[in-house]
């Protein structure tokens, strides 16, 4: 697990915080001066490392689940 956590770089952690606060991948991409596919890849990496979905898709954005709420600083 420790090796897996090293895959979470600074950008990926900023994506986690952005998704929790804004609940929208496109908004997070804009705020981080990045692209939406890059944000999606970062979310996929977090999901693989943490072994949890973290966010639930809803009609108008993402809803953080219990694990995301525990990880949020």
């Amino acid at each position: 697990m420790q090796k897996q956590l090293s895959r979470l770089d600074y950008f990926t952690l900023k994506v986690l915080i952005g998704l929790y606060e804004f609940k929208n991948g496109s908004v997070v991409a804009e705020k981080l001066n990045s692209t939406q596919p890059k944000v999606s890849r970062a979310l996929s990496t977090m999901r693989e490392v943490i072994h949890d979905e973290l966010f639930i898709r809803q009609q108008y954005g993402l809803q953080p689940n219990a694990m995301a709420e525990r990880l949020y600083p």
Side-chain angles (χ1 to χ4, degrees), residues 22-35:
F22 299 111
K23 297 172 181 49
N24 186 302
S26 298
V27 173
V28 172
E30 184 179 319
K31 296 282 185 189
L32 296 177
N33 293 323
S34 185
T35 62

Side-chain angles (χ1 to χ4, degrees), residues 19 22-25 55-64:
L19 288 174
F22 299 111
K23 297 172 181 49
N24 186 302
F55 296 91
I56 301 161
R57 282 191 199 277
Q58 297 200 333
Q59 187 175 2
Y60 297 106
L62 300 169
Q63 182 66 36

Side-chain angles (χ1 to χ4, degrees), residues 4 7-9 11-13 15-16 19 25 35-55 57 62:
Q4 291 278 359
R7 292 176 57 194
L8 299 179
D9 60 359
F11 177 79
T12 305
L13 296 174
V15 167
L16 173 68
L19 288 174
T35 62
Q36 197 277 327
K38 188 172 178 182
V39 169
S40 293
R41 282 192 302 275
L43 178 57
S44 294
T45 299
M46 284 186 286
R47 286 175 168 166
E48 286 177 23
V49 170
I50 297 171
H51 304 289
D52 192 271
E53 284 297 308
L54 298 173
F55 296 91
R57 282 191 199 277
L62 300 169

Side-chain angles (χ1 to χ4, degrees), residues 1 8 10-11 21 29 37 45 72:
M1 180 71 165
L8 299 179
Y10 184 68
F11 177 79
E21 292 177 353
T45 299
Y72 184 73

